Amino acid sequence: MSHRSLIVLPDQSAEPILEAIKGAKKSLRVKMFVFSDPDLLAAVIDAQKRGLHVRVMLNAARRDGEDDNEESRKTLERAKVKVADSNPDFGVTHEKSMVVDDELAFVKSLNWATKNLTETRDYAVTTSHSHEVKEILDCFEADWHRQEFKPKGDARLIWCPANGRERVAHFIDEAKHTLFIQNERYQDPVIIERLIRAKERGVKVHVMARPPHTLKKDKLLEGVSGLRMLDDVGAKIHKLKKLKLHGKMLLADGLRAIVGSINLAPGSFDDRRELAIEVHDDDVVEALHKVAHHDWEHSHPLDLSDKGLLADLEDREGGAEKLVLDSKGKHKKHDA
């Protein structure tokens, strides 16, 4: 019987992923933004040694020359694993997926990096629904062979740069009572607008974000501005106390959820290969609801006043000037 299930990191560690790899009998396809965890590397290499058809697609070196996967690529190639760089049609391949034996697919927010398995709030949804597995396989093959991929409109899967912004916007528009969101970046103006409209029509909007000082310098303006606009209309905005937030999750009315790799930013929607999945399964949504409640209870309000931002950005050169912050606290609209 087809099913979907949820993996929560770091609570469940890498074990469910390792077990799936160790249990594979025929094939393994991995598409990953960052792949560096030694245990997962060893498991994939062992699958190759067992005679499985293994292929790994890794995000290529970035435009600035940084290559997170250089050493892992060499390690896999030495073990005779077939490795390819991701499709150059996209600025970045940020998708994190795995398909085992053409029968079970993993849609993930987490990289295969040790910190994402042990230190960050992250998620993965597994699916054995044949049409979803096939669509992920079709995209893998298209990207591997540098061919065009067109997602099916009736599937639960959400792809960028195809239908991502439309699907996420529609998901928000359908919320009636509550929206709980975890994401690193709140920068896309269409999505910010939809969240503001949701709040104004009476939806309780709870947002979990990373502190502004963790944003890249060129993303600081959009990221902080988006959060402040949400703060202005009364959305509750928090940051985790202990864990680092890396997961990308939306939960609406305790009935529907989206989990995947998509940041709420124009680059993710328009220029990156991304994958997420919308789930309505009671057990998956209930588990996400419990995590959301736990994380909210173990979080702090994010101080988005000028004073709060100045303190947060104290060690970031040029941050305060870029955001035109008032050190005297005159901007009462944002004062805590």
Side-chain angles (χ1 to χ4, degrees):
M1 183 177 178
S2 299
H3 69 280
R4 301 181 188 91
S5 63
L6 178 70
I7 301 169
V8 180
L9 280 301
D11 307 37
Q12 292 171 263
S13 73
E15 280 308 307
I17 303 170
L18 289 168
E19 287 175 8
I21 297 172
K22 292 173 182 177
K25 296 177 174 62
K26 298 181 297 184
S27 65
L28 197 65
R29 291 177 179 86
V30 176
K31 192 188 294 185
M32 193 56 55
F33 179 60
V34 178
F35 186 180
S36 59
D37 181 74
D39 291 338
L40 286 167
L41 273 168
V44 169
I45 290 170
D46 182 65
Q48 173 71 23
K49 291 178 178 177
R50 298 198 319 264
L52 275 67
H53 184 205
V54 180
R55 284 187 285 167
V56 177
M57 195 182 313
L58 298 175
N59 187 60
R62 305 185 199 188
R63 288 165 179 160
D64 62 3
E66 183 180 356
D67 190 349
D68 298 300
N69 296 309
E70 183 177 5
E71 291 304 315
S72 296
R73 188 181 291 107
K74 291 176 181 177
T75 300
L76 292 166
E77 288 174 343
R78 282 195 296 267
K80 309 300 182 184
V81 175
K82 292 182 179 177
V83 184
D85 284 344
S86 53
N87 192 333
D89 286 349
F90 310 108
V92 165
T93 288
H94 197 238
E95 175 187 345
K96 307 108 170 16
S97 66
M98 176 175 72
V99 180
V100 179
D101 292 338
D102 297 352
E103 295 176 353
L104 181 68
F106 287 65
V107 178
K108 300 178 288 244
S109 68
L110 64 134
N111 292 299
W112 279 7
T114 304
K115 67 179 181 180
N116 289 131
L117 301 164
T118 60
E119 299 176 11
T120 64
R121 171 63 75 223
D122 263 303
Y123 305 95
V125 171
T126 70
T127 176
S128 65
H129 288 262
S130 58
H131 60 289
E132 293 168 359
V133 175
K134 184 179 184 302
E135 191 165 317
I136 295 171
L137 286 173
D138 288 346
C139 183
F140 185 97
E141 295 298 330
D143 285 351
W144 185 275
H145 296 289
R146 310 312 196 225
Q147 296 170 348
E148 184 179 7
F149 167 73
K150 291 184 178 180
K152 295 177 174 59
D154 58 349
R156 293 285 182 88
L157 300 176
I158 302 171
W159 296 95
C160 298
N163 59 11
R165 182 182 283 110
E166 178 184 355
R167 291 284 299 275
V168 173
H170 185 62
F171 181 92
I172 295 168
D173 290 346
E174 288 191 323
K176 294 178 174 58
H177 307 291
T178 60
L179 272 169
F180 176 87
I181 306 164
Q182 289 182 326
N183 207 281
E184 289 183 276
R185 292 161 58 185
Y186 296 82
Q187 297 165 346
D188 188 78
V190 172
I191 301 306
I192 297 299
E193 174 193 332
R194 289 311 212 281
L195 290 171
I196 289 172
R197 289 184 178 186
K199 183 67 179 68
E200 290 181 338
R201 67 173 183 269
V203 176
K204 293 180 180 178
V205 179
H206 289 69
V207 167
M208 300 203 76
R210 296 184 69 171
H213 73 265
T214 66
L215 296 173
K216 292 181 179 179
K217 187 175 181 179
D218 61 341
K219 304 298 182 184
L220 186 62
L221 181 61
E222 296 93 332
V224 172
S225 295
L227 289 173
R228 291 186 106 178
M229 284 188 278
L230 291 169
D231 186 48
D232 279 347
V233 298
K236 303 296 184 183
I237 304 174
H238 280 208
K239 58 181 179 180
L240 279 169
K241 284 183 183 178
K242 295 181 180 179
L243 289 176
K244 296 177 182 178
L245 178 61
H246 184 260
K248 300 93 172 65
M249 186 266 278
L250 295 91
L251 179 64
D253 301 325
L255 300 172
R256 303 173 293 121
I258 290 176
V259 170
S261 68
I262 303 171
N263 284 308
L264 303 180
S268 289
F269 290 124
D270 299 326
D271 189 46
R272 294 183 166 200
R273 170 66 80 209
E274 306 269 15
L275 171 62
I277 185 169
E278 181 174 340
V279 290
H280 298 188
D281 311 63
D282 290 343
D283 55 341
V284 174
V285 173
E286 183 179 351
L288 285 169
H289 184 78
K290 289 180 180 178
V291 175
H293 179 75
H294 173 276
D295 285 356
W296 196 257
E297 290 296 314
H298 294 80
S299 67
H300 290 298
L302 190 56
D303 186 352
L304 294 165
S305 68
D306 282 10
K307 182 179 178 180
L309 288 170
L310 283 164
D312 183 80
L313 297 169
E314 185 176 6
D315 296 327
R316 284 290 299 272
E317 184 178 353
E321 291 79 3
K322 193 176 185 70
L323 293 169
V324 198
L325 298 177
D326 180 11
S327 60
K328 298 179 180 179
K330 293 180 179 179
H331 294 172
K332 299 300 182 183
K333 181 66 176 176
H334 292 293
D335 283 351

